[in-house]
């Protein structure tokens, strides 16, 4: 087996992905016990499905990907093969395919054009995250409070007994009629601005809006990351809203353009590394890229926070910016004091920036030790049930101005 | 500049020996996240901003090709 491991580091899981997978697994478990299984899509979600399968006692499966450079690799020990190999077995009725790719329409079309039948030869397990977002966006149009964020609100740990994500917990606490939680992984402030503006134009203005200020989205290169643009979601919202303007249309075009020009496909490593070295290197580089850069306050994210604040002020909407938790203990483990120095330098710039636009920052950066994150070596802000309980209280308290 | 770039690469991948002869892509030492991280470091430590659209994958073949890329884009900026 070739030694390139294309696995994305996964320590937290998207609860909606887990639900989608469990629903599929309970229905088709017998099928995959009888036939070979190919997971189509050797990316983030494919890696996740691989983890779910192994936790359910299924370890004998392969990955398929349309990117030829991945065919010499594997994901955590499970080989990645070309479509030809998978299709040959599926057409012989010896195998089935589970499509893991988020934007699965293209793959569905590819497989259907090969003569395969959905729900017989291949399956999808959509998490309906875009539909859920759109539903949340449009329901209860007199909501007084809006919370905007990213995977902090969707992620849980596989070890959690309470599998409610933070979004559900906040909504339960605030009341479904008065509060909306709009979250999407990898989303940046320019997206929040455009979605918030469209919301106010079409559905009315809330009393206050909490806006995540995530260091990961202020690097200046965040738009190169996969799953950061959500073109499909924006088009979905575009079809729903009635009143639109040029600024919205311009952003739709930009999102489409950026979706076609994503730069960072995956991280992989030299075949000479041990799995621990590989994991360490991925974690280090992830932390380095997302937290230890030199923040430029002219970066798109902060400029659009400024625009969001101006827009909100004109509508008498209170804006509450918050910085999500960072696994600083992990940062210190890898980089010593350099991590804190770099992080705090950026934090200081953000605090000063908030002062310029007359906002107070809710800083949750250092509220958690590693044991509050999904795993001790979680590199992003995803927290376990213990962490979610604390964050829920903080977010709600601030929304209620207590 | 060769030494500086080598230092950055070792920071990105501290587990392998990297020198002027190392084929960074062929030997799978540099991946796409590593490339973007390297661009970030070049920007911060050498003051050269390298737009995504100005680079080719061949610019990351080895240390000397990276140095040539940086010099090329530095010169272009000054012009």
């Amino acid at each position: 087996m070739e030694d390139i491991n294309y696995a994305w580091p996964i320590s937290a899981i998207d609860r909606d992905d887990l639900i989608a997978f469990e629903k599929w697994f309970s229905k088709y478990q017998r099928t995959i016990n009888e036939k070979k299984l190919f997971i189509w899509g050797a990316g983030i979600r494919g890696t996740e499905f691989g983890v779910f399968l192994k936790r359910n006692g299924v370890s004998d499966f392969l990955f398929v990907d349309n990117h030829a450079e991945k065919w010499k690799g594997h994901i955590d020990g499970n080989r990645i093969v070309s479509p030809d190999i998978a299709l040959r077995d599926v057409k012989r009725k010896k195998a089935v395919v589970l499509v893991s790719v988020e934007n699965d329409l293209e793959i569905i079309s590819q497989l259907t054009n090969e003569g395969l039948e959905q729900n017989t030869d291949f399956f999808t397990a959509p998490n309906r995250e875009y539909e859920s977002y759109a539903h949340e966006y449009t329901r209860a149009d007199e909501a007084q409070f809006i919370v905007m964020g990213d995977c902090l609100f969707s992620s849980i740990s596989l070890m959690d007994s309470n599998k409610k994500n933070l979004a559900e917990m906040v909504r339960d606490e605030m009341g479904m009629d008065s509060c909306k939680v709009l979250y999407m992984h990898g989303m940046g402030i320019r997206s929040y601005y455009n979605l918030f503006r469209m919301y106010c134009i079409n559905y009315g203005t809330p009393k206050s809006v909490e806006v995540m200020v995530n260091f990961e989205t202020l690097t200046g290169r965040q738009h190169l990351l996969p799953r950061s643009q959500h073109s499909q979601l924006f088009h979905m919202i575009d079809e729903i809203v009635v009143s639109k303007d040029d600024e919205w249309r311009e952003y739709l075009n930009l999102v489409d353009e950026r979706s076609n020009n994503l730069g960072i496909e995956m991280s992989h490593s030299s075949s000479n590394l041990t799995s621990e070295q590989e994991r360490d290197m991925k974690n280090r580089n992830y932390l380095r890229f997302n937290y230890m850069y030199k923040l430029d306050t002219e970066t798109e994210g902060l400029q659009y926070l400024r625009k969001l604040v101006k827009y909100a002020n004109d509508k008498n909407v209170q804006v509450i910016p918050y910085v999500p938790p960072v696994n600083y203990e992990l940062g210190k483990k890898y980089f010593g004091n350099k991590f804190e120095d770099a992080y705090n330098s950026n934090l200081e710039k953000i605090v000063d920036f908030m002062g310029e636009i007359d906002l107070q920052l809710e800083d949750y950066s250092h509220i958690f030790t590693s044991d509050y994150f999904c795993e001790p070596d979680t590199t992003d802000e995803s927290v376990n049930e213990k962490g979610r309980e604390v964050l829920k209280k903080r977010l709600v308290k601030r929304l209620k101005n207590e | 500049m060769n030494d500086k770039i080598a230092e950055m690469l070792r920071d990105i991948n501290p587990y392998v020996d990297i020198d002027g002869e190392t084929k960074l892509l062929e030997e799978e030492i540099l991946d796409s996240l590593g490339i973007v991280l390297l661009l970030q470091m070049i920007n911060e430590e050498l003051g050269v901003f390298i737009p995504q659209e100005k680079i080719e994958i061949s610019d990351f073949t080895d240390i000397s090709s990276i140095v040539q890329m940086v010099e090329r884009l530095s010169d272009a900026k000054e012009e």
Side-chain angles (χ1 to χ4, degrees), chain A residues 161-187:
Chain A
S161 49
N162 176 5
K163 291 200 166 24
K164 275 197 173 180
N165 63 25
L166 184 59
E168 290 173 297
M169 293 167 76
V170 168
R171 277 198 293 264
D172 286 350
E173 189 76 14
M174 293 292 294
M176 290 283 283
D177 287 343
S178 72
C179 177
K180 296 191 179 203
V181 184
L182 299 169
Y183 62 93
M184 187 55 62
H185 51 78
M187 195 173 262

Side-chain angles (χ1 to χ4, degrees), chain A residues 51-159:
Chain A
V51 169
F52 295 159
L53 280 165
K54 286 177 180 175
R55 282 191 165 256
N56 280 279
V58 178
S59 56
D60 189 19
F61 55 87
L62 300 171
F63 289 93
V64 187
D65 203 278
N66 285 331
H67 291 92
E69 70 270 15
K70 292 191 183 181
W71 298 343
K72 54 182 180 175
H74 65 99
I75 288 184
D76 292 337
N78 293 80
R79 282 185 56 214
I80 304 169
V81 301
S82 70
D84 286 346
I85 292 175
L87 290 169
R88 181 196 64 199
D89 283 354
V90 176
K91 287 177 180 177
R92 289 177 184 168
K93 302 296 179 189
K94 289 182 176 178
V96 291
V97 167
L98 172 61
V99 180
S100 70
V101 177
E102 209 160 62
N103 297 325
D104 54 12
L105 296 175
E106 257 187 58
I107 306 299
I108 290 172
S109 178
Q110 182 181 356
L111 296 177
T112 306
N113 288 341
E114 289 285 344
L116 303 191
E117 200 177 318
Q118 189 162 0
N119 295 328
T120 303
D121 302 314
F122 73 91
F123 308 92
T124 61
N127 69 13
R128 304 266 175 244
E129 59 183 356
Y130 292 155
E131 287 84 350
S132 297
Y133 190 105
H135 171 73
E136 182 72 353
Y137 196 77
T138 54
R139 69 163 187 90
D141 51 346
E142 290 180 11
Q144 295 184 58
F145 306 101
I146 292 180
V147 181
M148 301 190 93
D150 66 7
C151 57
L152 174 68
F153 291 89
S154 59
S155 296
I156 62 173
S157 166
L158 277 169
M159 309 305 294

Side-chain angles (χ1 to χ4, degrees), chain A residues 4 219 221 224 263-271 273 277 280-281 284-285 288-289 292-294, chain B residues 11-16 27-34 36-37 39-41 44-45 49-52:
Chain A
I4 305 174
T219 63
R221 295 191 192 262
L224 299 174
I264 304 175
E265 169 53 33
M266 85 298 284
S267 69
H268 62 266
S269 56
S270 167
S271 54
L273 302 188
Q277 285 174 334
D280 274 356
M281 193 178 77
R284 279 172 50 96
N285 287 342
R288 180 85 192 246
F289 181 71
M292 296 175 72
Y293 58 96
K294 284 183 188 157
Chain B
D11 200 358
I12 290 170
N13 191 334
Y15 299 113
V16 295
E27 295 176 42
E28 297 143 17
I29 286 162
L30 207 56
D31 60 16
S32 50
L33 177 57
V36 184
L37 189 50
L39 295 179
Q40 191 180 79
M41 289 165 142
E44 290 178 359
E45 296 177 40
F49 176 70
I50 299 178
Q52 185 86 356

